């Protein structure tokens, strides 16, 4: 492994661990835990490649410190989950970026995740339907093995044909990937909520529709939603040992 490669890994580790500390200090423990784990693995890769004994000792000390903190956070989060008191809030500022579905949901998508419930009254218009499609694609790409998605939404009274046609096409497409889409409509639904069967509950003030309209088809953020500006909204995350059943 070349020196430049080692330096690159070290830079990446510092960046990820710096983010872990920032999240830790702001009380976003589940997200910080994911960053600590990723950063520690990067530092361990650097340690394997370094030959100088003094540097190896430095890296070992750093890794131990981060591992100890990660274990403390893990124990704290597990206790809150056990007591049913876990609550975390993420504030997405107006025009903020870096909040793609992958970035937002990844910390809560463990290997145990197999079933998802989405309650959102606004999966109706074209851009909202595309948002739901992106959410489904994220689940398909994740390391967990989601087998079923339940969607509860409201019907578009102005043009229900486009909505029903789009969701029927998505249902068929997901089925070809081994994933079942259970679709139901409600005329009284108002609240927005996403539940994972591993116990996590994510409530987004604007539901999945928190991205701003792109500024042009060839503008930054048109394709990569980590670069797309967002509307201001709050995300509340809870954990319960009791999940929905059919």
């Amino acid at each position: 492994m070349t020196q430049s490669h080692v330096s690159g890994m070290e830079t990446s580790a510092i960046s990820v661990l710096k983010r872990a500390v920032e999240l830790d200090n702001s009380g976003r423990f589940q997200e910080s835990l994911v960053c600590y784990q990723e950063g520690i693995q990067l530092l361990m890769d650097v340690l394997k490649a370094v030959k100088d004994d003094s540097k190896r000792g430095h890296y070992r000390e750093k890794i131990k410190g981060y591992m100890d903190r990660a274990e403390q956070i893990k124990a704290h989060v597990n206790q809150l989950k056990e007591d049913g008191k876990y609550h975390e809030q993420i504030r997405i500022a107006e025009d903020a970026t870096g909040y793609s579905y992958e970035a937002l949901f990844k910390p809560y998508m463990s290997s145990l995740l197999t079933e998802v419930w989405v309650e959102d009254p606004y999966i109706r218009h074209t851009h909202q339907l595309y948002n739901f499609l992106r959410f489904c694609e994220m689940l398909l790409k994740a390391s967990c093995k989601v087998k079923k998605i339940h969607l509860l939404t409201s019907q578009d009274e102005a043009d229900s044909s486009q909505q029903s046609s789009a969701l029927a096409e998505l249902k068929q497409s997901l089925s070809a990937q081994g994933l079942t889409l259970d679709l139901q409509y409600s005329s009284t639904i108002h609240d927005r909520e996403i539940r994972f069967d591993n116990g996590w509950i994510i409530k987004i003030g604007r539901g999945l529709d928190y991205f701003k309209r792109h500024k042009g088809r060839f503008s930054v953020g048109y394709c990569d939603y980590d670069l797309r500006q967002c509307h201001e909204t709050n995300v509340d995350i809870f954990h319960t040992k009791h999940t929905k059943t059919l």
Side-chain angles (χ1 to χ4, degrees):
M1 188 178 294
T2 65
Q3 182 59 42
S4 62
H5 191 186
V6 174
S7 297
M9 284 197 302
E10 183 179 21
T11 300
S12 296
I14 291 171
S15 176
V16 173
L17 290 166
K18 181 180 178 182
R19 179 61 175 159
V21 173
E22 290 172 352
L23 292 167
D24 188 353
N25 291 337
S26 63
R28 292 164 64 176
F29 297 122
Q30 186 67 23
E31 292 174 277
S32 71
L33 185 58
V34 172
C35 288
Y36 275 126
Q37 290 168 341
E38 291 180 357
I40 289 168
Q41 184 57 57
L42 285 168
L43 274 187
M44 291 179 72
D45 291 339
V46 172
L47 177 62
K48 292 175 184 176
V50 170
K51 305 300 181 185
D52 184 272
D53 287 340
S54 62
K55 287 185 177 181
R56 288 176 64 84
H58 169 74
Y59 287 127
R60 284 197 189 96
E61 185 178 341
K62 287 290 185 182
I63 289 170
K64 184 181 184 304
Y66 288 125
M67 286 182 73
D68 288 346
R69 180 54 187 158
E71 285 301 317
Q72 291 172 358
I73 291 174
K74 190 173 182 180
H76 176 63
V77 168
N78 285 340
Q79 188 60 56
L80 289 174
K81 287 160 65 175
E82 184 67 26
D83 295 342
K85 296 179 180 179
Y86 188 96
H87 176 225
E88 177 183 337
Q89 185 175 80
I90 300 170
R91 297 181 183 274
I92 300 179
E94 186 75 6
D95 294 328
T97 57
Y99 291 97
S100 67
Y101 295 146
E102 287 84 354
L104 186 61
F105 291 103
K106 181 181 176 182
Y108 313 101
M109 295 170 59
S110 68
S111 59
L112 299 175
L113 179 60
T114 61
E115 198 165 358
V116 176
W117 290 262
V118 178
E119 295 183 6
D120 191 326
Y122 299 107
I123 309 293
R124 302 187 301 195
H125 300 151
T126 301
H127 75 281
Q128 295 166 343
L129 291 161
Y130 275 123
N131 284 339
F132 183 63
L133 169 58
R134 290 187 187 93
F135 178 78
C136 293
E137 289 176 335
M138 175 204 66
L139 293 173
L140 279 171
K141 291 192 298 180
S143 57
C144 55
K145 301 297 182 185
V146 175
K147 295 299 182 183
K148 194 166 191 176
I149 302 172
H150 304 266
L151 172 63
L152 178 64
T153 189
S154 60
Q155 282 191 308
D156 186 352
E157 296 178 0
D159 185 10
S160 60
S161 61
Q162 175 188 271
Q163 180 192 29
S164 58
S165 174
L167 290 173
E169 182 179 340
L170 175 56
K171 183 173 184 174
Q172 184 176 3
S173 179
L174 289 172
S175 178
Q177 298 287 332
L179 203 160
T180 301
L181 174 62
D182 172 50
L183 176 61
Q184 296 184 40
Y185 294 102
S186 169
S187 59
T188 58
I189 182 176
H190 178 268
D191 293 340
R192 301 159 178 85
E193 179 176 283
I194 295 172
R195 285 178 175 258
F196 293 162
D197 70 347
N198 59 6
W200 290 108
I201 304 168
I202 299 97
K203 297 185 177 184
I204 309 173
R206 298 182 63 96
L208 292 173
D209 191 12
Y210 59 85
F211 296 109
K212 287 195 167 184
R213 180 177 172 82
H214 58 80
K215 296 180 178 179
R217 288 185 299 164
F218 296 97
S219 60
V220 171
Y222 182 82
C223 297
D224 189 339
Y225 272 58
D226 269 320
L227 301 174
R228 179 73 69 91
Q229 290 180 315
C230 299
H231 292 286
E232 180 179 352
T233 194
N234 288 336
V235 183
D236 288 284
I237 298 110
F238 304 89
H239 189 276
T240 177
K241 289 185 288 184
H242 306 287
T243 55
K244 286 188 174 182
T245 55
L246 290 175

